[in-house]
């Protein structure tokens, strides 16, 4: 029973400190929370929590604040992630459903997450290793020009235009375009991007010699698009929100801002997704390997198409974070993004 009570005291300290940013004393705990015990018992529990390294006294203050370990225990003891209200879910769905393409989805997602959590939102573009070809379309845009359109399962669309000596609007040219389109999709559709690129290298040899120049040009155009898809990209929003938490960083927010400029660092933060789309990962303070981010917490999860996770998204802010609400927002937004990409 004493352990459960100490956890209740820890939970109350975390909640009060997140809300007020002021060290929390035993008197304030008794006034704000129905703990059902005496002041002496609360002081004893706080002493025990401090001995375990879960709370600490900043400077000479009579109050206590949670440590990184204290936040970790608090997060690990959350029995469930707080559900969002129907109105909140409807607002998320309406905002994201208006997106016109993948770039718009990503832009809307980070802006929405930054607004919901008042933190820095981060989203990774779908990863090469987790993306696949949905369809390849060929569209003649003149007698001697052909648009090659690559559509990826995550909704990204890449276009290239090639030149051809053949008359692509003639009956023979239309036949050739239709045959290339059919064979392209037979070889590439449903395959991961790297596998599709390798599979298409032998495609020209399966055509008549007179047709191979056009096929080679199409394959080169697709290969260029596939290579471009391999670039790992992240998008940020809400960096200005950090200014609201200036006192939460030991010296300055400078190291945090510098780390946010390094996309490799951000990719690593989002690159620890498991296979469970409902799982929300929380890295607190010194659990972040990058030194510049050791005064921050990162809440992240994966998003994808159906059961396949293709990338990560999340938020970054000070360790004094409303973890239940932030975790709920990140998970809810990821679910809606996954639904949009799968549709």
């Amino acid at each position: 029973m004493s352990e459960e009570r100490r956890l209740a005291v820890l939970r109350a300290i975390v909640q009060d400190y997140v809300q007020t940013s002021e060290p929390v004393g035993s008197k304030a705990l008794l006034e704000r929370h129905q703990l059902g015990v005496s002041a002496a018992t609360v002081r004893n529990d706080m002493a025990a929590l401090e001995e375990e390294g879960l709370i600490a006294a900043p400077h000479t203050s009579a109050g206590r604040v949670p440590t990184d370990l204290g936040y970790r225990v608090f997060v690990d003891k959350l029995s469930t992630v707080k559900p969002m209200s129907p109105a909140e879910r409807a607002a998320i769905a309406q905002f994201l459903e208006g997106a016109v393409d993948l770039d718009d989805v990503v832009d809307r997602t980070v802006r929405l997450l930054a607004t919901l959590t008042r933190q820095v939102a981060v989203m990774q573009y779908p990863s090469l290793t987790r993306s696949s070809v949905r369809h390849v379309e060929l569209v003649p845009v003149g007698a001697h020009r052909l648009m090659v359109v690559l559509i990826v399962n995550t909704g990204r669309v890449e276009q290239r235009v090639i030149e051809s000596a053949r008359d692509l609007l003639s009956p023979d040219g239309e036949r050739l375009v239709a045959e290339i389109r059919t064979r392209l999709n037979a070889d590439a559709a449903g395959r991961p991007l790297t596998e599709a690129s390798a599979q298409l290298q032998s495609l020209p040899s399966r055509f008549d010699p007179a047709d191979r120049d056009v096929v080679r040009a199409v394959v080169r155009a697709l290969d260029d698009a596939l290579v471009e898809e391999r670039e790992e990209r992240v998008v940020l929003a809400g960096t200005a929100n950090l200014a609201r938490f200036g006192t939460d960083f030991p010296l300055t927010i400078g190291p945090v801002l510098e780390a946010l400029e390094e996309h490799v660092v951000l990719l690593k933060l989002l690159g620890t997704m498991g296979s469970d789309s409902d799982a929300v990962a929380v890295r607190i303070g010194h659990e972040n390997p990058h030194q510049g981010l050791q005064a921050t917490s990162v809440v992240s999860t994966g998003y994808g198409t159906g059961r396949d996770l293709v990338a990560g998204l999340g938020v970054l802010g000070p360790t004094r974070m409303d973890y239940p609400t932030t975790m709920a927002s990140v998970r809810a937004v990821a679910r809606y993004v996954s639904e949009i990409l799968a549709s």
Side-chain angles (χ1 to χ4, degrees):
M1 184 66 181
S2 60
E3 182 178 350
E4 291 181 10
R5 191 182 64 241
R6 282 200 296 272
L7 286 174
V9 172
L10 174 63
R11 188 181 305 114
I13 292 172
V14 170
Q15 291 170 345
D16 282 5
Y17 183 60
V18 166
Q19 183 176 4
T20 68
S21 76
E22 296 292 335
V24 183
S26 58
K27 182 179 179 182
L29 287 178
L30 289 167
E31 290 174 350
R32 296 172 185 160
H33 302 272
Q34 302 297 320
L35 297 175
V37 294
S38 67
T41 299
V42 171
R43 285 194 293 271
N44 289 338
D45 287 339
M46 291 179 70
L49 291 171
E50 187 169 9
E51 188 174 334
E52 294 172 18
L54 302 181
I55 60 176
H59 311 300
T60 58
S61 170
R64 300 294 183 270
V65 300
T67 62
D68 288 356
L69 181 58
Y71 285 124
R72 168 50 59 197
V73 171
F74 170 78
V75 169
D76 289 347
K77 294 296 182 180
L78 288 175
S79 56
T80 58
V81 175
K82 187 183 78 172
M84 304 195 79
S85 69
E88 289 172 324
R89 293 198 299 271
I92 292 173
Q94 183 177 9
F95 186 75
L96 293 180
E97 284 171 359
V100 297
D101 56 24
L102 180 61
D103 291 331
D104 197 15
V105 169
V106 173
D107 179 66
R108 285 170 180 255
T109 299
V110 291
R111 287 191 288 120
L112 176 62
L113 263 180
T115 300
L116 287 173
T117 64
R118 303 183 74 191
Q119 312 283 0
V120 181
V122 187
M123 184 172 181
Q124 176 189 12
Y125 266 80
S127 168
L128 164 73
T129 57
R130 297 170 183 261
S131 300
S132 60
V133 176
R134 177 178 289 175
H135 183 70
V136 178
E137 187 55 66
L138 301 179
V139 183
V141 289
H144 300 285
R145 303 183 78 202
L146 183 67
M147 179 182 292
V148 182
V149 183
L150 169 67
I151 304 171
V152 181
N153 68 323
T154 54
R156 189 157 186 90
V157 178
E158 291 289 336
Q159 299 177 355
R160 300 289 187 277
V161 176
I162 64 169
E163 303 289 336
S164 170
R166 298 281 295 273
D167 182 353
L168 302 176
L169 298 181
S170 68
D172 186 55
E174 290 180 350
R175 173 202 59 77
L176 176 59
V177 170
E179 185 178 358
I180 297 173
R181 181 190 299 113
T182 299
R183 293 195 183 185
L184 279 173
N185 285 291
D187 283 355
R191 294 181 183 273
L193 299 188
T194 47
E195 186 180 321
S197 180
Q199 182 74 14
L200 293 176
Q201 299 310 306
S202 64
L203 186 62
S205 64
R206 287 178 268 150
F207 281 78
D208 292 337
D211 299 331
R212 289 176 184 171
D213 284 346
V214 178
V215 182
R216 288 192 190 98
V218 170
V219 170
R220 280 196 301 270
L222 279 173
D223 204 42
D224 287 345
L226 290 168
V227 167
E228 184 166 313
E229 282 289 324
R230 293 170 195 168
E231 297 178 1
E232 300 286 1
R233 297 171 55 195
V234 289
V235 177
L236 298 176
T239 304
N241 285 331
L242 290 175
R244 299 188 300 110
F245 302 105
T247 58
D248 285 277
F249 300 103
L251 298 175
T252 172
I253 63 174
V256 180
L257 295 175
E258 290 173 6
L260 291 178
E261 292 179 356
E262 299 182 34
H263 282 197
V264 173
V265 172
L266 300 179
L267 287 168
K268 287 181 179 178
L269 291 177
L270 298 177
T272 55
M273 300 174 299
S275 58
D276 184 358
S277 59
D278 279 338
V280 178
V282 182
R283 282 186 176 178
I284 300 170
H286 287 80
E287 295 172 359
N288 288 307
H290 193 282
Q291 187 173 1
L293 297 179
Q294 291 184 351
T296 70
S297 286
V298 179
V299 178
S300 62
T301 191
Y303 70 90
T305 54
R307 296 180 180 178
D308 299 322
L309 299 182
V310 295
L313 60 81
V315 299
L316 177 148
T319 55
R320 186 178 64 85
M321 177 185 291
D322 182 350
Y323 290 97
T325 299
T326 301
M327 293 166 69
S329 298
V330 167
R331 188 172 69 175
V333 170
R335 281 180 175 176
Y336 280 107
V337 170
S338 296
E339 290 176 7
I340 290 170
L341 296 182
S343 62

